[in-house]
Amino acid sequence: MADYLDYLEDSPDVVASKDKLSRIIVIATYLGIWAITLIVFWFFTRGSDAMGYALVFMWVVLPTTTFALSLVIGKNNYWGKAKWVSPVVFGVMYMLAGYATLSAANMAAFNKVTMPEFAMIPVGAIISVVGLGIGVILNHRKLKNKTEK
């Protein structure tokens, strides 16, 4: 009976289902945290809190989330070679977080529309590439250890 249960756990359908669910969780986690950063800014901060918000969310929460989820993507080899597109996505989302909060508040206060700060895209992308690279290295070590056994 134990052999059959081990077989079921390693069944391609079960593995594919778990893999798909894991990918959805990674995406949902990032989008959820990203949305929370916007909600906190617009509903729970005042003008005098902008510096604190920027320090906590733009320089700690979002970069840490980007790094951690990129690490997970690399370690589990989600999306195969297409995973290397994720730093661009993380970079754009990082730029949009600043544009939808601090820049939007500035535009509203001064009644002037400004362009997004595209220079923020590389910041988010670099954080993601570092996490992704470490994850890929961990994945290769895991595979190497399996083949050596």
Side-chain angles (χ1 to χ4, degrees), residues 7-148:
Y7 166 76
L8 283 179
E9 181 145 332
D10 292 336
S11 168
D13 292 338
V14 173
V15 171
S17 176
K18 286 181 181 178
D19 190 50
K20 186 175 181 179
L21 179 62
S22 297
R23 292 176 194 194
I24 291 170
I25 289 171
V26 166
I27 293 168
T29 300
Y30 186 78
L31 291 176
I33 292 171
W34 188 85
I36 287 169
T37 63
L38 271 61
I39 291 167
V40 166
F41 180 82
W42 288 108
F43 294 106
F44 299 107
T45 61
R46 294 182 299 268
S48 61
D49 299 334
M51 181 62 78
Y53 168 85
L55 288 173
V56 171
F57 288 97
M58 298 301 294
W59 296 106
V60 176
V61 173
L62 284 177
T64 302
T65 303
T66 298
F67 176 82
L69 293 179
S70 294
L71 182 78
V72 169
I73 290 168
K75 187 173 185 276
N76 295 308
N77 196 30
Y78 292 152
W79 299 287
K81 290 182 181 179
K83 71 179 166 277
W84 294 103
V85 174
S86 64
V88 175
V89 174
F90 281 121
V92 169
M93 293 299 288
Y94 185 69
M95 182 262 315
L96 287 175
Y99 190 67
T101 55
L102 300 167
S103 294
N106 193 5
M107 288 186 285
F110 294 105
N111 199 23
K112 181 181 177 189
V113 177
T114 60
M115 292 292 293
E117 292 183 43
F118 294 109
M120 295 303 287
I121 294 174
V123 174
I126 289 169
I127 294 166
S128 178
V129 165
V130 171
L132 202 57
I134 293 170
V136 167
I137 290 169
L138 293 174
N139 183 37
H140 284 299
R141 285 187 181 172
K142 179 177 73 172
L143 293 175
K144 185 178 178 183
N145 289 340
K146 277 186 179 181
T147 58
E148 289 177 356

